[in-house]
Amino acid sequence: MQHSKATTTAILIVAAGRGERAGVSVEGPKQYRMIGGKPLIAHTLQAFATHSKTWPIVVVIHRDDEQLFEKALAYLPDRHRVTVTHGGATRQESVLAGLKALQAFHPDYVLIQDAVRPFCDAPLIDRVLQCLDTGPQGVLPAMPVTDTLKRAETNGKVAATVSRQGLFAAQTPQGFAFAPILAAHEAAAASGRTDFTDDASIAEWAGLTVELVEGSPDNVKLTVQRDIAMADAKLSAALPDVRTGNGYDVHQLEPGDGVTLCGIFIAHDQALKGHSDADVALHALTDALLATCGAGDIGDHFPPSDPQWRGAASRIFLEHAAKIVRDAGGTIMNADISLIAEAPKIGPHRQAMREKLSEILGISLDRCSVKATTNEKIGFVGRREGIAAIATATVVFAGVRP
């Protein structure tokens, strides 16, 4: 991808509409209807929040929808990047409000996206950005019109067949150089024009150059109730997003009175050396959980140089990792730990360890596994110089489109 690292691209999600054509629902306006297990707008936001670029995101909502939006935002792993502002009576007014809110970020480019297009994907975003890099002031993703077009008389009779050559159906995200599109919107507002149907049409009116790029046939706008039902069926039938994370940890043994493994203290003639309670098993499992959502490792969240974690119970680390997973929309399905030690014996404590994992993670006992093996007196484990642990965690996230 050629998008320059020196430029800043902001995202503007337009979500202030009432969506009357989608019918009345207890879930609120259509952008908050549940599809595929989460609000429609959450799917739209995820496409941009999980893209490889780190952009500021401004979402323009109706002032009556703050609670609905807050619930939808809970499905987003990187919610601190999202800024909210209130929209106006029309889409055009809402976009202008969003552009003004984005001025604080001083972006070079802006991508303006309809909240009710949940099937936007990374390749489409990349095409818009790549075209912006070539110099146009605006980029419009679009699909060529394939249906035969008819013009009707006022009485409903066909007046003529319209040539579809050179005709395209506009989509979003529409990309623009930030300063020119802001100026165009401000000029349109000052002129009293309120009849523009998208941002590209305002750009054209203002004399900006707008280029077409290939849209996506999947990038449909959900307008009526049938659209929402079809999107829900499509996402509900998606392949499950099952992720497996692995973790490994080792701690040195030193003279002492016992070790803590899987949150259970076991009396022993040695102790594990570490900044916290040195629970090698929970440390490995913490890393495994963090791996399922790309959240780094235990050292990123709990640096051993930080004195507040001296002697801390390692369940704190595991609970933190489990919260990160759940905040990202994950469901912990399984936790498996293999301990590698010559001593102490793990077997008598295995059930208590499994119960402790079940308690900390909030999952059933049958989803928690603890195993142990020796190292056949080979290596540092065999010499009783340390204990190692290998952990695997399985997490299911919201479904992905096949």
Side-chain angles (χ1 to χ4, degrees):
M1 178 175 173
Q2 301 300 315
H3 192 50
S4 171
K5 292 182 180 179
T7 59
T8 300
T9 302
I11 306 301
L12 197 167
I13 308 290
V14 190
R18 299 292 81 197
E20 287 87 352
R21 283 181 288 176
V24 178
S25 170
V26 293
E27 295 173 350
K30 62 185 176 183
Q31 58 267 37
Y32 302 106
R33 306 283 176 87
M34 297 296 288
I35 62 171
K38 58 185 179 182
L40 192 164
I41 192 173
H43 292 277
T44 306
L45 277 166
Q46 187 173 17
F48 294 93
T50 59
H51 195 274
S52 59
K53 301 299 176 182
T54 55
W55 301 312
I57 300 173
V58 164
V59 184
V60 186
I61 68 170
H62 194 281
R63 64 180 63 254
D64 293 340
D65 294 344
E66 288 188 357
Q67 290 186 347
L68 289 171
F69 182 72
E70 185 63 26
K71 290 179 181 178
L73 201 57
Y75 291 84
L76 198 66
D78 202 10
R79 59 185 292 170
H80 71 276
R81 287 173 47 206
V82 177
T83 301
V84 177
T85 192
H86 293 147
T90 66
R91 184 188 187 280
Q92 187 175 325
E93 291 177 7
S94 293
V95 172
L96 180 55
L99 291 172
K100 288 181 176 179
L102 280 170
Q103 285 181 293
F105 298 99
H106 307 289
D108 300 291
Y109 298 146
V110 60
L111 301 187
I112 304 175
Q113 168 74 358
D114 293 327
V116 290
R117 290 187 187 267
F119 297 114
C120 177
D121 56 21
L124 176 57
I125 296 170
D126 288 342
R127 287 197 294 276
V128 174
L129 290 175
Q130 287 165 355
C131 188
L132 273 175
D133 270 341
T134 65
Q137 295 166 305
V139 177
L140 172 66
M143 294 295 294
V145 173
T146 57
D147 292 331
T148 298
L149 300 176
K150 302 290 183 179
R151 185 171 62 249
E153 300 284 5
T154 55
N155 60 9
K157 293 183 179 179
V158 173
T161 298
V162 179
S163 173
R164 65 192 178 202
Q165 185 174 359
L167 295 182
F168 290 81
Q171 297 184 343
T172 64
Q174 297 177 8
F176 303 94
F178 182 77
I181 194 61
L182 173 58
H185 264 277
E186 289 177 330
S191 72
R193 289 286 302 272
T194 59
D195 56 331
F196 296 105
T197 56
D198 72 349
D199 304 292
S201 60
I202 292 179
E204 297 155 24
W205 170 80
L208 306 183
T209 57
V210 180
E211 291 190 16
L212 292 174
V213 295
E214 180 187 358
S216 167
D218 293 329
N219 186 32
V220 295
K221 184 177 181 180
L222 307 188
T223 303
V224 298
Q225 181 59 39
R226 177 177 172 80
D227 297 335
I228 296 170
M230 291 176 67
D232 182 42
K234 180 177 181 178
L235 288 171
S236 298
L239 296 174
D241 184 0
V242 181
R243 308 182 194 178
T244 301
N246 294 312
Y248 172 81
D249 197 26
V250 60
H251 278 271
Q252 184 179 351
L253 284 164
E254 59 184 8
D257 61 356
V259 296
T260 298
L261 297 171
C262 295
I264 302 299
F265 181 79
I266 304 172
H268 186 48
D269 61 0
Q270 291 177 297
L272 285 167
K273 184 178 180 180
H275 186 66
S276 63
D277 64 2
D279 190 331
V280 63
L282 295 193
H283 293 183
L285 185 55
T286 297
D287 275 349
L289 281 175
L290 293 172
T292 65
C293 51
D297 61 27
I298 191 171
D300 296 324
H301 299 267
F302 304 96
S305 58
D306 191 335
Q308 71 172 308
W309 308 121
R310 184 176 300 280
S314 294
R315 71 173 293 155
I316 296 172
F317 311 150
L318 187 59
E319 287 171 343
H320 178 75
K323 184 178 186 302
I324 288 175
V325 167
R326 292 189 174 110
D327 286 349
T331 300
I332 301 169
M333 304 301 294
N334 174 257
D336 177 48
I337 295 174
S338 292
L339 288 161
I340 308 160
E342 296 298 322
K345 294 292 185 183
I346 303 301
H349 308 281
R350 181 181 289 112
Q351 184 67 11
M353 291 177 175
R354 293 178 61 222
E355 290 172 356
K356 182 62 69 174
L357 291 179
S358 174
E359 173 201 337
I360 296 172
L361 297 176
I363 60 178
S364 60
L365 185 64
D366 64 315
R367 298 181 183 275
C368 301
S369 171
V370 176
K371 308 185 298 296
T373 185
T374 69
N375 218 38
E376 300 293 342
K377 299 184 179 180
I378 300 170
F380 72 90
V381 172
R383 295 190 297 270
R384 294 182 59 173
E385 296 173 0
I387 293 177
I390 300 171
T392 302
T394 303
V395 177
V396 175
F397 288 81
V400 296
R401 297 188 296 279

